[in-house]
Amino acid sequence: MAPKLPDSVEGLRAAGNQSFRNGQYAEASALYCRALRLLQVRGSSDPEEESVLYSNRAACHLKDGNCTDCIKDCNSALALVPFSMKPLLRRASAYEALEKYPLAYVDYKTVLQIDNSVASALEGINRMTRALMDSLGPEWRLKLPSIPVVPVSAQKRWNSLPSENKESTKNKSKETTKSRVPSAGDVERARVLKEEGNELVKKGNHKKAIEKYNESLLFSNLESTTYSNRALCHLVLNQDKEAVKDCTEALKLDGKNVKALYRRAQAYKSLKDYKSSLADISSLLQIEPRNGPAQKLRQEVNQKLK
């Protein structure tokens, strides 16, 4: 005798989740369908619950290789709760599988507006950038659909979720992201993009330069000067915390990167972290004792400490 199915939306969703975890995607999809029908029969307005059910059913379609229905269900989920993370990621994966790379890029980019540390979206952007450069050429950005601006309310909704709900999404492929070794072709593309960023810095276009450095780092994140150059742009744009992060990454790759030490010292000074600023200046002067700008910065920081 078959086990009795739950008679509540919550129970059907839980049963569907269990079937999905067991790899029974068709069964899970049927349970989510039943839950959706019950929700509609009940006539109660619960857009969040309905959105989750569509998103979960989309995951089943994706696992079964049914990308078209996956996209339809993600569209339904996002119509109910715009800028939800999971349906955006699932739709991006489906677009990518269908080789609709511009649409996949837009969804991955939208996810990163909500949370710029989601590993699967970072990897997706990396893959889409390569594919788009290969298929559309160096002006590929001009041929993309518009990328929606994520409202603050959507970012707050994501930030308010329990941490355990976010970790699996954020860390899904973090290890593979860190361990990828760039090919010789990747290194050359990274170098060209970095040089393009440098030219934009000379013209005073620091925002566009950051975009070029971002692209360069997608191809190879092993070049210390790319991080320290991007840090300069952040400093000019008064993005001091971002400058500190980039300088720290640069120094992990090259502990004697004098520009990274100097720029991090500048950023720490702006953030009023004078002790950290002095520590970086001291490290710099051990490498280049006669560095004039560093000596001047040390005087300025010492004045702040008096």
Side-chain angles (χ1 to χ4, degrees):
M1 184 177 175
K4 186 176 181 296
L5 287 174
D7 56 4
S8 69
V9 171
E10 296 78 7
L12 287 164
R13 176 159 60 87
N17 292 351
Q18 186 58 53
S19 293
F20 187 90
R21 284 193 289 270
N22 293 340
Q24 298 167 318
Y25 306 123
E27 182 179 307
S29 179
L31 287 161
Y32 296 137
C33 286
R34 192 179 178 95
L36 281 164
R37 284 197 298 271
L38 183 56
L39 199 62
Q40 290 157 5
V41 168
R42 214 164 63 181
S44 61
S45 177
D46 191 345
E48 296 239 355
E49 178 70 43
E50 195 173 351
S51 178
V52 168
L53 288 167
Y54 277 119
S55 177
N56 288 4
R57 192 171 69 179
C60 299
H61 293 319
L62 191 61
K63 286 288 187 181
D64 283 335
N66 184 353
C67 296
T68 301
D69 283 341
C70 172
I71 290 166
K72 286 179 182 175
D73 273 354
C74 289
N75 289 342
S76 297
L78 291 163
L80 289 159
V81 183
F83 302 105
S84 295
M85 182 78 75
K86 287 184 178 179
L88 278 169
L89 283 169
R90 286 163 186 166
R91 189 172 68 180
S93 294
Y95 280 142
E96 184 176 351
L98 293 172
E99 298 186 4
K100 296 183 177 181
Y101 300 135
L103 294 172
Y105 181 93
V106 168
D107 276 351
Y108 285 131
K109 197 73 173 175
T110 304
V111 167
L112 293 174
Q113 286 184 68
I114 301 168
D115 186 337
N116 63 10
S117 65
V118 177
S120 54
L122 290 166
E123 278 201 330
I125 284 288
N126 192 343
R127 291 190 303 273
M128 293 309 94
T129 299
R130 293 158 179 266
L132 289 164
M133 287 187 77
D134 287 341
S135 61
L136 301 179
E139 300 299 317
W140 63 272
R141 283 183 175 277
L142 302 176
K143 301 170 186 176
L144 290 177
S146 61
I147 298 171
V149 177
V150 176
V152 174
S153 58
Q155 295 170 343
K156 285 182 177 176
R157 185 175 70 239
W158 170 250
N159 290 333
S160 68
L161 288 175
S163 58
E164 61 269 18
N165 288 12
K166 296 191 283 188
E167 286 308 307
S168 61
T169 303
K170 288 175 67 171
N171 299 327
K172 187 176 180 183
S173 53
K174 188 174 283 185
E175 290 307 312
T176 56
T177 302
K178 286 183 178 178
S179 62
R180 193 183 76 79
V181 177
S183 66
D186 289 340
V187 171
E188 177 58 20
R189 281 188 176 178
R191 185 193 67 75
V192 170
L193 287 162
K194 184 183 79 169
E195 291 302 322
E196 289 177 9
N198 294 349
E199 289 302 312
L200 287 164
V201 168
K202 291 174 186 175
K203 294 174 183 175
N205 195 339
H206 295 92
K207 285 186 179 179
K208 285 287 184 185
I210 285 175
E211 289 182 9
K212 289 294 181 183
Y213 294 137
N214 290 346
E215 286 183 41
S216 175
L217 289 166
L218 286 173
F219 285 101
S220 173
N221 59 0
L222 303 178
E223 181 62 50
S224 176
T225 56
T226 308
Y227 284 107
S228 54
N229 289 2
R230 190 171 67 176
L232 170 64
C233 299
H234 287 311
L235 279 173
V236 172
L237 297 170
N238 296 315
Q239 297 166 344
D240 298 308
K241 289 182 180 178
E242 288 82 357
V244 168
K245 287 178 186 175
D246 271 354
C247 291
T248 300
E249 290 299 321
L251 290 163
K252 285 179 186 176
L253 294 164
D254 178 6
K256 294 186 177 180
N257 184 330
V258 169
K259 289 182 178 178
L261 284 166
Y262 181 71
R263 287 165 187 167
R264 192 168 68 176
Q266 287 180 300
Y268 278 138
K269 181 191 168 202
S270 296
L271 292 167
K272 298 187 167 125
D273 186 349
Y274 301 124
K275 287 185 178 178
S276 295
S277 182
L278 278 177
D280 276 348
I281 296 166
S282 176
S283 297
L284 189 163
L285 290 173
Q286 285 177 17
I287 301 166
E288 291 186 6
R290 296 186 180 182
N291 187 302
Q295 291 172 344
K296 183 182 177 185
L297 184 60
R298 181 172 61 181
Q299 291 175 350
E300 292 172 1
V301 175
N302 281 325
Q303 284 287 87
K304 296 286 185 182
L305 286 169
K306 286 183 181 178

